Amino acid sequence: MLINNPAINSFIPPQRTLMGPGPSDVPQRILDAMQRPTIGHLDPAFQEMMEEIKVLMRYAYQTENPLTFPVSAPGSAGMEMCFVNLVEPGDKVIVCVNGVFGGRMLENVKRCGGVPVVVEDEWGKPVTVTKVEQAFADNPDVKVLAFVHAETSTGAQSDAASLAKLAHQHGAVTIMDCVTSLGGTPVLIDEWGIDAAYSGSQKCLSCTPGLSPVTFSERAIAKVKARKTPVQSWFLDLNLVLGYWQAEGKRTYHHTAPINPLYALHEALVILSEEGLENAWARHRTMHEKLKAGLEGMDMKFVVEESARLPQLNSVWVPEGADDAAARAKLLGEFNLEIGAGLGALAGKVWRIGLMGHSAKQENIDFCLKAIRSVLHK
Ligand SMILES: *Cc1c(COP(=O)(O)O)cnc(C)c1O
């Protein structure tokens, strides 16, 4: 059969400004890194770069964990890697659900044969630490605590340090989703005592999508090694992946690493280290304050209370009288500006304006406020 469509040719994407819940704007330096020549995934030069990625990732995560590397798949695969390795059939797991991604954690626990103990909070609120404390008191046999640090579906940040402390007091390991927090707000793996964490390349790291930085503590590795049953996923089995990412000098083939996307991640992490983590956090905070002033100047109201608000994900109620879908379509069509729609329980009710990574800059804020003013006729 021949392709009977002469209109299909090379794809040239439109130039957009990305201010949604990810992906964020990718700097040219990262796109340049990605187009460098592809080499073999066992090439010594490539392996040297892998070692540098691990060093840079430990900095981003503020951890000494030797087992810190990028999973060759998006954030959802990082999530799955944590659950399939750390949750054995029959393990009791406290899962905190205060938005879409907590709900996905719960789904992972169930599919791993875990016994979930759900701690629910209203969408837009952080996880209530005292509820988790009660869940531990009611279930002394809990093995794992899982929570989302930065709920991208609502814009709420939870108190990871207090939650991890509770888990340690009760002998449980912690799984933390920091897909949206890494590089945007402090993620202090060692100081907080987090055992397993996963993130995504395309949010505050401003890399192209498709990679998931993960890190595992010695406690987490001990739990994986003590499993009585094999990990049900072959691709995500830590024991096997380690042969490639961890076995210096004698790496073996597990899967073909995504070579060029890893060049991009390396560059994104170099950019982060050049700016400095503290400076990146401060920039997200400052840009959030500016965006907030502009949005509130248009009488827009934030979904999340100030103390738990994520600077990199601004959820505001869709203004009274505005047509959610039509307004967003206009932003995209007329201004080439992408902002996020509401998800799940907040679908049609909120806009999620991302200030992630490279997108968190003054010119984007000015542009976004101007565009919103125009579509709302303010
Ligand atoms: C984006 C996101 C994910 C999923 O990452 P993908 O790269 O889309 O698979 C998971 N958790 C949170 C909190 C996210 O924001």
Side-chain angles (χ1 to χ4, degrees), residues 74-77 79 101 104 148 150-152 177 179-180 198 202-203:
S76 303
M79 176 188 280
F101 295 102
R104 288 191 182 178
V148 178
E151 232 326 327
T152 323
D177 176 320
V179 175
T180 279
Y198 59 92
Q202 77 278 27
K203 309 229 174 166

Side-chain angles (χ1 to χ4, degrees), residues 190-202:
D190 288 0
E191 189 180 317
W192 295 344
I194 303 292
D195 296 298
Y198 59 92
S199 188
S201 49
Q202 77 278 27

Side-chain angles (χ1 to χ4, degrees), residues 4 22 38 57 65 77 81 88 96 113 120 129 167 175 210 243 267 275 278 280-281 335 358 365 374:
N4 189 20
T38 304
M57 273 184 53
N65 286 342
M81 176 174 267
E88 258 194 289
C96 306
E120 266 197 278
V129 176
I175 298 176
E267 193 69 14
E275 179 177 23
E278 285 82 2
W281 299 334
F335 293 89
H358 193 60
I365 290 167
S374 166

Side-chain angles (χ1 to χ4, degrees), residues 107-128:
E107 189 60 31
N108 268 273
V109 171
K110 289 180 185 162
R111 290 184 186 213
C112 293
V115 180
V117 176
V118 180
V119 171
E120 266 197 278
D121 274 289
E122 214 178 295
W123 286 43
K125 300 263 191 294
V127 173
T128 305

Side-chain angles (χ1 to χ4, degrees), residues 79 82-83 87 92-98 101-106 108-109 117-119 127 132 136 142-149 163 167 172-177 196 198:
M79 176 188 280
C82 290
F83 284 93
V87 178
K92 220 180 225 189
V93 182
I94 296 178
V95 195
C96 306
V97 180
N98 62 336
F101 295 102
R104 288 191 182 178
M105 282 183 146
L106 172 58
N108 268 273
V109 171
V117 176
V118 180
V119 171
V127 173
V132 175
F136 271 117
V142 162
K143 299 273 175 49
V144 180
L145 166 68
F147 64 92
V148 178
H149 182 217
L163 293 170
V173 299
T174 47
I175 298 176
M176 177 169 84
D177 176 320
Y198 59 92

Side-chain angles (χ1 to χ4, degrees), residues 137-289:
D138 295 343
N139 300 278
D141 53 342
V142 162
K143 299 273 175 49
V144 180
L145 166 68
F147 64 92
V148 178
H149 182 217
E151 232 326 327
T152 323
S153 61
T154 68
Q157 180 162 266
S158 292
D159 179 357
S162 299
L163 293 170
K165 196 166 157 205
L166 276 177
H168 278 264
Q169 283 165 358
H170 293 88
V173 299
T174 47
I175 298 176
M176 177 169 84
D177 176 320
C178 46
V179 175
T180 279
S181 44
L182 189 70
T185 47
V187 173
L188 309 175
I189 296 296
D190 288 0
E191 189 180 317
W192 295 344
I194 303 292
D195 296 298
Y198 59 92
S199 188
S201 49
Q202 77 278 27
K203 309 229 174 166
C204 291
L205 299 179
S206 269
C207 186
T208 48
L211 292 170
S212 177
V214 293
T215 185
F216 295 93
S217 73
E218 296 300 335
R219 264 162 40 99
I221 297 167
K223 184 163 186 343
V224 179
K225 294 230 162 103
R227 285 181 67 109
K228 288 179 212 78
T229 52
V231 173
Q232 68 267 32
S233 164
W234 176 85
F235 185 66
L236 296 172
D237 184 341
L238 264 180
N239 296 300
L240 303 178
V241 175
L242 282 182
Y244 181 61
W245 273 100
Q246 207 67 348
E248 265 160 72
K250 47 178 173 24
R251 286 209 169 88
T252 50
Y253 169 67
H254 174 259
H255 65 277
T256 309
I259 310 293
N260 296 57
L262 286 167
Y263 298 163
L265 181 64
H266 183 276
E267 193 69 14
L269 291 166
V270 166
I271 291 173
L272 180 65
S273 70
E274 284 171 0
E275 179 177 23
L277 262 181
E278 285 82 2
N279 293 334
W281 299 334
R283 175 172 50 83
H284 283 89
R285 172 70 45 200
T286 310
M287 293 302 142
H288 159 74
E289 293 298 337

